[in-house]
Amino acid sequence: MIRAIRLLLHFGYQEAMSCLFPVFIFASLAISKFVAIPGLGRYDLLLLLCLLFQVFMVKSGLETKDELKVITVFHLIGLALEIFKVHMGSWSYPEDAWSKVFGVPLYSGFMYASVASYLCQAWRRLEVSLTSWPQQWLAVLLGAAIYLNFFTHHFLVDVRWVLMIAIFPVFWRTRVHFRVAGEGLWMPLPLGYFLIGFFIWIAENIATFFGAWYYPNQRDGWQIVHLSKISSWYLLVIVSFIIVTQLKHVKSRIAGGK
């Protein structure tokens, strides 16, 4: 029991430190809902806060420059998805702001970037490694298909459930290994995907409660985000994990070439 408590406390601490960026965004959403700065729109304030915190993360050494590069990629990928989804009416950002592009405030990209920040931080802090990773072309192909389906399902058949089924044979043998208080632990990678996606869904409920964005059914008052969104976050986490893994492989090959 003592060992279990020690591992849980250490794991909780490392996870909390890995979540600094997401926690900062939630805190900013909560504060900005009740505190206004004259002449500065809420979305503009959130963008400014996110930029300042990003600078702090790098300058303080909490985030490396390589991790910043990964986060920037996620910011751009997330912003592209946001612009499309808002255009299709999946959700909306009703408040006015100078920093809106095609109806999407630029701070929204940081919400995706915060997921990347968590993955990079947890990877480093918990000394994450993978075994039995599928062939790179297969992982990249699956990740690309998942990301494209977020766009194409508005016009073509939604194949998310086919993709979710495909995840298991592709990653069935893959294990994610990590260290907690010096002890090596592991779990099946699909389980890791689900756990991260589930907690992001919880975070999404918090974010919509504080008005980060609104789904169509939340315009007249906040409601819990539909459970089906867990599958969307599950798939998005897989895309995120594949991107981080592939970038780490590229970095490893470059370092090996030197």
Side-chain angles (χ1 to χ4, degrees), residues 115 118-119 164 189-205 225-238 240-241:
V115 175
Y118 162 76
L119 288 175
M164 288 184 71
L189 188 55
L191 175 60
Y193 290 149
F194 174 78
L195 290 174
I196 297 174
F198 174 73
F199 283 107
I200 292 177
W201 175 78
I202 293 177
E204 183 180 32
N205 278 280
V225 176
H226 197 278
L227 286 171
S228 64
K229 290 296 180 181
I230 295 178
S231 65
S232 298
W233 285 115
Y234 179 75
L235 292 171
L236 191 62
V237 166
I238 293 171
S240 304
F241 202 92

Side-chain angles (χ1 to χ4, degrees), residues 19 80 116 121 133 147 214 225:
C19 288
Q121 291 274 330
W133 182 257
Y147 184 69
Y214 294 100
V225 176

Side-chain angles (χ1 to χ4, degrees), residues 106-123:
L106 294 179
Y107 93 87
S108 65
F110 280 102
M111 291 189 286
Y112 292 85
S114 68
V115 175
S117 176
Y118 162 76
L119 288 175
C120 291
Q121 291 274 330
W123 198 298

Side-chain angles (χ1 to χ4, degrees), residues 43 153 186 203 215:
Y43 297 155
H153 81 85
W186 67 272
Y215 286 108

